[in-house]
């Protein structure tokens, strides 16, 4: 299985830090944010990784990561010309992921403790469809929130004013080979982006969206508070 890390976008919530460097190159504890996702994929046996990045800081990515050899992976880079949404960024992986092959997708600002191996095995046994990983959070309004019904996801609501559950859909997604066909069917949202939630809802509508709940810690490091807190936590734990 191949892996994709989405590290485009503008990082407006971290401005002005992100004026000079892309969000996923900012330090988190002892290393740049992007390395956490790379390590998670490699530790689950995924060594072929596509990084979708913006043109901003592209040279710095090459300088930091190169071919990926130092990190035990093979890296390919694609440039997302404008921040047109998470699903638009994922669409750039079509062709690099062989037709019909499944793919593991991470949002580059999601940091977490669990190993992905068990979830990936469960997903591969599932045979088709998609799987998302959930985490209970105190502030679900910041995220995609699932409507859970009888052990499955009925649908996901993106950043709801009135959250239907206390879970968030994390930025860890496992898709079958039909994901690129699905992306072609979705339309930009009100904020003008191709939303990953619409992709996941297409699977949910077919009854093909399964989920698991992360056991360990998880964070979206995309705000000053969460970026600070996770760095502090990792340093206190003595982790890289
Ligand atoms: O962190 C989990 C949440 O991530 C989910 O619960 C939401 O359903 C999902 O929409 C997403 O919400 P965010 O508001 O946190 O997404 P954000 O715009 O911060 O983008 C997350 C990552 O996706 C970011 O680290 C880089 C990548 N990205 C984003 C955009 C908009 C791209 O590669 N290209 C893009 O155009």
């Amino acid at each position: 299985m191949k892996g994709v890390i989405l590290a485009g976008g503008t990082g407006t919530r971290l401005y002005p830090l992100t004026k000079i460097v892309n969000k996923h190159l900012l330090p988190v504890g002892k290393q740049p944010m992007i390395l956490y996702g790379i390590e998670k994929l490699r530790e689950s046996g995924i060594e072929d990784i596509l990084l979708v990045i913006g043109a901003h800081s592209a040279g710095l990515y090459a300088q930091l990561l190169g071919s990926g050899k130092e990190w035990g992976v093979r890296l390919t880079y694609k440039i997302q010309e404008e921040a047109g949404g998470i699903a638009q960024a994922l669409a750039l992986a079509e062709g690099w992921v062989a037709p019909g092959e499944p793919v593991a997708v991470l949002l580059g600002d999601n940091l977490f403790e669990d190993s992905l191996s068990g979830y990936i095995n469960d997903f591969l046994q599932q045979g088709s469809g998609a799987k998302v990983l959930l985490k209970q959070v105190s502030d679900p309004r910041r995220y995609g929130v699932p409507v859970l019904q009888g052990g499955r996801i009925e649908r996901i609501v993106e950043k709801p004013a009135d959250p239907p559950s206390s879970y968030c859909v994390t930025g860890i997604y496992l898709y079958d080979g039909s994901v690129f066909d699905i992306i072609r069917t979705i339309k930009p949202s009100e904020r003008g982006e191709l939303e990953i939630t619409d992709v996941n809802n297409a699977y949910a509508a077919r009854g093909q969206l399964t989920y698991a709940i992360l056991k360990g810690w998880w964070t979206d490091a995309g705000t000053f508070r969460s970026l600070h807190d996770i760095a502090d936590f990792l340093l206190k734990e003595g982790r890289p």
Side-chain angles (χ1 to χ4, degrees):
M1 196 172 181
K2 287 180 163 181
V4 177
I5 303 180
L6 302 179
T10 47
T12 44
R13 275 171 288 200
L14 289 173
Y15 192 86
L17 293 180
T18 45
K19 189 174 179 194
I20 46 169
V21 69
N22 179 266
K23 170 167 71 175
H24 313 85
L25 292 171
L26 292 172
V28 179
K30 294 182 186 165
Q31 56 183 25
M33 191 185 294
I34 191 71
L35 283 175
Y36 292 92
I38 291 175
E39 283 170 1
K40 280 294 170 191
L41 290 176
R42 192 207 48 218
E43 132 198 325
S44 71
I46 296 177
E47 293 176 355
D48 280 304
I49 300 174
L50 176 71
L51 288 187
V52 178
I53 58 177
H56 184 13
S57 304
L60 293 178
Y61 276 99
Q63 220 174 316
L64 172 69
L65 302 168
S67 67
K69 192 172 171 212
E70 187 180 343
W71 320 101
V73 294
R74 289 174 292 279
L75 292 177
T76 302
Y77 301 86
K78 288 236 180 183
I79 303 282
Q80 185 188 19
E81 293 278 353
E82 80 235 298
I86 294 170
Q88 187 206 57
L90 177 56
L92 296 172
E94 186 171 20
W96 181 80
V97 177
E101 286 297 309
V103 60
V105 180
L106 300 183
L107 298 185
D109 64 356
N110 274 226
L111 274 59
F112 52 93
E113 183 175 23
D114 288 27
S115 162
L116 292 175
S117 305
Y119 303 119
I120 289 174
N121 285 340
D122 291 348
F123 171 66
L124 292 175
Q125 301 229 329
Q126 177 179 322
S128 63
K131 188 179 197 75
V132 291
L133 301 182
L134 310 182
K135 187 72 186 169
Q136 200 150 25
V137 289
S138 55
D139 50 352
R141 277 174 292 211
R142 277 179 56 195
Y143 306 105
V145 180
V147 177
L148 300 174
Q149 193 74 51
R152 65 182 191 93
I153 295 183
E154 199 178 271
R155 70 198 150 85
I156 300 167
V157 193
E158 185 63 25
K159 303 196 176 58
D162 190 12
S165 71
S166 59
Y167 290 95
C168 100
V169 179
T170 71
I172 308 168
Y173 313 101
L174 302 169
Y175 293 117
D176 71 5
S178 66
V179 67
F180 301 109
D181 289 334
I182 290 178
I183 295 173
R184 263 188 287 281
T185 68
I186 65 170
K187 303 267 178 305
S189 61
E190 274 175 18
R191 58 174 173 170
E193 293 186 5
L194 290 184
E195 304 282 345
I196 202 67
T197 286
D198 290 339
V199 174
N200 293 332
N201 276 335
Y203 281 108
R206 297 176 181 176
Q208 284 194 320
L209 183 63
T210 65
Y211 71 90
I213 297 170
L214 287 174
K215 295 177 191 70
W217 57 262
W218 167 87
T219 193
D220 166 338
T223 65
F224 288 115
R225 168 53 59 193
S226 61
L227 182 64
H228 172 274
D229 287 352
I230 187 64
D232 197 41
F233 171 78
L234 292 172
L235 285 171
K236 279 187 185 137
E237 293 267 299
R239 293 170 196 238

